[in-house]
Amino acid sequence: MDTIDSKIIAQLGQESGLTSEALGERVGLSPSAAHRRVKTLEQQGLILGYRARLSRAARGNPSTVFVSVTLTDQRQATMQQFEQALARTLQVSEAHLMSGESDYLLKVLVREDDSYERIHREVLSALPGVHRLVTQFTIRTLATED
Amino acid sequence: MDTIDSKIIAQLGQESGLTSEALGERVGLSPSAAHRRVKTLEQQGLILGYRARLSRAARGNPSTVFVSVTLTDQRQATMQQFEQALARTLQVSEAHLMSGESDYLLKVLVREDDSYERIHREVLSALPGVHRLVTQFTIRTLATED
DNA sequence: TTTCCTTGGGAACACCGATGCGCATCGAAA
DNA sequence: TTTCGATGCGCATCGGTGTTCCCAAGGAAA
């Protein structure tokens, strides 16, 4: 894990479609050496895989909603059940255990062919151990290169 | 844009490293047809590109912080300058214009070789038009398949 | 200095992406 | 019903690229 590996990771984290030759050029290596580095990074588990970047349209023109969740209590079992149920919930794209007022902060993606009203009623309220849900609506999500 | 295209998008959104043959199998198409579909989706702009999924370690073992931002005012120019400055801020991985109390919600990634104290002081406070920053710390981010 | 080990470069091979062709299917028009 | 045109599939082919050799160069240890 040296400077070149860092460059490779930075590059592939942004755009992975390039050939070994192109990658080698950008990091100052021959195609074969660049290729070998990438394979090593994959074996080491630093590169987990590859996926397509999809347009908003391809993702169903989602709007983003943040939901602060307070559980009925903070017992280990309660939190564990809640988290396990979350993992099976497609609409929740991120979940964070939080300090402060509420217990969890969820990032929910609402596809345009769905509605938050339905998700709130049928999905989020149905999660086990939920005491209170506070919704923050986004007006617009800024484009990020991330 | 039919059922097969949806399957392809769903598949490539999760894992894009497979060959046309493997992709064709999963969506019920010959390799050449699957390949042609993918190229069309790329041309249509539904598939924007490809990137590597990086491990937490490869991303610098970041911890996540949410920051609610209130601007000095909500004039067009103020918001625009703030947003432009945001775009040049690497640590801010997401930014949402919000309804409710504060104006923006930022998701900030703090690499373990950095500190939130520094980012707060040198990066976030330095953004133009900022009136108030309220930080919510995450204790733990749940693993998501997203 | 010698040896070992790591890492890069070059070349050969195999595989897969890319594309042209023929054919089947479907819908529209007469 | 028949015909025409368009669309999209599968097959076959070709070339580019991934993959894997081997060898050389450089650095560390003895």
Side-chain angles (χ1 to χ4, degrees):
Chain A
M1 189 60 191
D2 57 3
T3 310
I4 295 183
D5 282 334
S6 298
K7 283 188 188 175
I8 292 177
I9 285 177
Q11 173 59 49
L12 297 185
Q14 288 301 316
E15 182 63 52
S16 65
L18 26 74
T19 65
S20 294
E21 185 178 4
L23 179 60
E25 267 178 32
R26 302 195 191 190
V27 303
L29 239 49
S30 73
S32 64
H35 181 260
R36 199 168 13 215
R37 293 266 195 163
V38 172
K39 288 302 163 191
T40 304
L41 290 172
E42 291 173 358
Q43 284 183 345
Q44 291 172 337
L46 291 175
I47 294 177
L48 301 174
Y50 300 90
R51 56 175 50 171
R53 285 177 49 213
L54 302 178
S55 72
R56 249 184 75 82
R59 287 181 277 118
N61 290 315
S63 55
T64 306
V65 178
F66 287 92
V67 182
S68 295
V69 180
T70 308
L71 297 186
T72 52
D73 59 74
Q74 298 194 2
R75 285 166 39 224
Q76 181 69 23
T78 306
M79 294 173 62
Q80 200 168 324
Q81 285 175 17
F82 175 74
E83 293 187 12
Q84 285 175 359
L86 264 191
R88 295 187 293 271
T89 305
L90 292 324
Q91 292 92 348
V92 175
S93 71
E94 288 181 27
H96 306 267
L97 179 61
M98 302 297 289
S99 66
E101 285 296 304
S102 56
D103 296 320
Y104 289 90
L105 180 62
L106 312 182
K107 181 180 159 192
V108 177
L109 294 183
V110 184
R111 295 175 57 102
E112 69 175 347
D113 57 8
D114 201 347
S115 77
Y116 182 65
E117 193 276 333
R118 190 194 72 79
I119 294 174
H120 184 281
R121 176 165 39 83
E122 299 182 11
V123 178
L124 299 179
S125 297
L127 290 168
V130 169
H131 176 245
R132 187 151 172 271
L133 298 172
V134 176
T135 302
Q136 279 184 282
F137 286 98
T138 75
I139 298 172
R140 175 169 50 92
T141 295
L142 309 206
T144 56
E145 281 307 313
D146 179 51
Chain B
M1 189 61 192
D2 56 3
T3 311
I4 294 184
D5 282 334
S6 298
K7 282 187 189 175
I8 292 177
I9 285 177
Q11 172 60 48
L12 297 185
Q14 288 301 316
E15 182 62 51
S16 65
L18 26 73
T19 64
S20 294
E21 184 178 4
L23 178 60
E25 268 179 32
R26 302 194 191 190
V27 302
L29 238 50
S30 73
S32 65
H35 179 260
R36 235 187 318 254
R37 292 262 194 166
V38 171
K39 287 302 160 190
T40 304
L41 290 172
E42 290 173 359
Q43 283 183 345
Q44 290 173 336
L46 291 174
I47 294 177
L48 301 174
Y50 300 90
R51 56 175 49 170
R53 276 189 336 126
L54 302 178
S55 70
R56 248 183 75 81
R59 286 181 278 118
N61 291 314
S63 55
T64 306
V65 177
F66 287 92
V67 182
S68 296
V69 180
T70 307
L71 297 186
T72 52
D73 59 74
Q74 299 194 3
R75 285 165 41 223
Q76 181 70 23
T78 306
M79 294 174 62
Q80 201 168 324
Q81 285 174 18
F82 175 75
E83 292 186 13
Q84 285 174 359
L86 264 191
R88 294 187 296 269
T89 306
L90 292 324
Q91 293 92 347
V92 175
S93 71
E94 288 181 28
H96 307 267
L97 179 61
M98 302 298 290
S99 67
E101 285 296 305
S102 56
D103 295 321
Y104 289 90
L105 181 61
L106 312 182
K107 181 180 159 193
V108 177
L109 294 183
V110 184
R111 293 175 58 101
E112 69 174 347
D113 57 8
D114 201 346
S115 77
Y116 181 64
E117 193 276 333
R118 190 194 73 80
I119 294 176
H120 184 281
R121 176 165 38 84
E122 299 182 10
V123 179
L124 300 179
S125 298
L127 290 169
V130 168
H131 176 246
R132 187 152 173 272
L133 298 172
V134 176
T135 302
Q136 280 183 281
F137 286 98
T138 74
I139 298 173
R140 175 169 50 92
T141 295
L142 310 204
T144 56
E145 280 309 312
D146 179 50

